[in-house]
Amino acid sequence: MGSLWAGVDVGKTHHHVCVIDDDGTVVLSEKIPNDQQAISGIAGRLGKRRKAIRWAVDLRGGPASLVLAVLFDRGADVRYVSGTVTSRMAEAFHGERKTDAHDAYVIAQTLRMRADLPNLTLADGVQQQLKLLVSRRLDLVADRVRLTARIQDLLTMISPALEKTLNLRGKGALRLLAQWQTPAGLRRAGEARILDYLRQHGVRAAKALTAKVLTAART
């Protein structure tokens, strides 16, 4: 029956899929959108040929996540061809360089010729997603640090006493500053109003915080 070898040049909005047979002859070369229906469609069409098929991608996460999810769901055999390997293998094949179609062709040929390519599994996809989440969290933490430093600078210009009193990493201080930003404003609001406001917004130790900020506001 023979086998089919499918190389996928992964892109952000589109992928190029090149499929070759055991002789290295191109069976299919097609650009598809990074869309579940499109990816499932081309995988389904290849499945109807009733030949064993292996897949290879040049990315393990990011834009390749949907492709991998669809292929894993179909129980496909998926291998990884790194960019370095693709570049080296490209020298062995004629054709226009630096095109998605040619890169997909090289990936497919590499898959056909090399048995040492690492196998990708569902666990690899989960790990990539976790890496993305961790990266996103680090970005958010860095943004929070920058914003906190900016608020501290502004608060020091307005009232050094308030800046020393308020812990800007806590919910209570930020909630308080969203309503009152100056010592005069806090003094006008008074203890009862500030305490009621903080309690309405679920701030813990609202009474202690109210006392501290009013003391600072009166200096």
Side-chain angles (χ1 to χ4, degrees), residues 162-177:
L162 279 178
E163 192 278 328
K164 292 179 182 179
T165 299
L166 294 174
N167 176 14
L168 297 181
R169 289 174 294 182
K171 174 183 176 181
L174 295 175
R175 179 59 67 181
L176 185 79
L177 290 174

Side-chain angles (χ1 to χ4, degrees), residues 47-203:
K48 292 178 181 178
R49 293 176 179 265
R50 300 186 181 279
K51 289 186 176 183
I53 180 169
R54 285 185 177 178
W55 295 78
V57 296
D58 60 345
L59 289 176
R60 290 185 288 186
S65 297
L66 183 57
V67 174
L68 293 175
V70 172
L71 294 179
F72 289 151
D73 187 58
R74 300 179 67 90
D77 182 348
V78 187
R79 306 299 172 99
Y80 171 61
V81 180
S82 69
T84 301
V85 172
T86 302
S87 297
R88 290 174 179 172
M89 292 295 292
E91 298 177 2
F93 301 99
H94 297 291
E96 185 181 355
R97 302 291 180 88
K98 300 301 181 183
T99 66
D100 295 341
H102 186 259
D103 286 347
Y105 172 75
V106 172
I107 293 169
Q109 291 286 10
T110 303
L111 176 64
R112 181 178 68 91
M113 297 170 63
R114 294 185 54 168
D116 60 340
L117 297 174
N119 186 271
L120 296 181
T121 65
L122 184 60
D124 293 301
V126 173
Q127 289 173 0
Q128 290 301 320
Q129 291 299 319
L130 287 174
K131 287 181 180 179
L132 288 173
L133 289 173
V134 171
S135 176
R136 175 59 178 158
R137 184 182 184 278
L138 291 175
D139 288 341
L140 291 174
V141 170
D143 288 342
R144 182 184 178 91
V145 170
R146 284 193 293 269
L147 288 171
T148 299
R150 179 60 176 157
I151 294 173
Q152 285 177 321
D153 288 342
L154 292 172
L155 194 55
T156 300
M157 294 169 61
I158 296 170
S159 172
L162 279 178
E163 192 278 328
K164 292 179 182 179
T165 299
L166 294 174
N167 176 14
L168 297 181
R169 289 174 294 182
K171 174 183 176 181
L174 295 175
R175 179 59 67 181
L176 185 79
L177 290 174
Q179 185 70 12
W180 299 285
Q181 299 81 34
T182 64
L186 289 166
R187 291 195 299 268
R188 285 194 298 270
E191 181 179 0
R193 185 180 171 191
I194 295 173
L195 184 59
D196 182 62
Y197 171 81
L198 293 177
R199 285 174 173 170
Q200 284 182 7
H201 289 86
V203 176

Side-chain angles (χ1 to χ4, degrees), residues 12-70:
K12 184 177 181 180
T13 59
H14 290 79
H15 312 304
H16 201 102
V17 180
C18 180
V19 183
I20 59 176
D21 60 18
D22 287 331
D23 297 324
T25 303
V26 176
V27 173
L28 176 149
S29 183
E30 188 173 323
K31 181 179 180 181
I32 62 171
N34 188 16
D35 172 82
Q36 182 176 351
Q37 185 175 359
I39 299 167
S40 297
I42 197 168
R45 279 188 282 138
L46 291 172
K48 292 178 181 178
R49 293 176 179 265
R50 300 186 181 279
K51 289 186 176 183
I53 180 169
R54 285 185 177 178
W55 295 78
V57 296
D58 60 345
L59 289 176
R60 290 185 288 186
S65 297
L66 183 57
V67 174
L68 293 175
V70 172

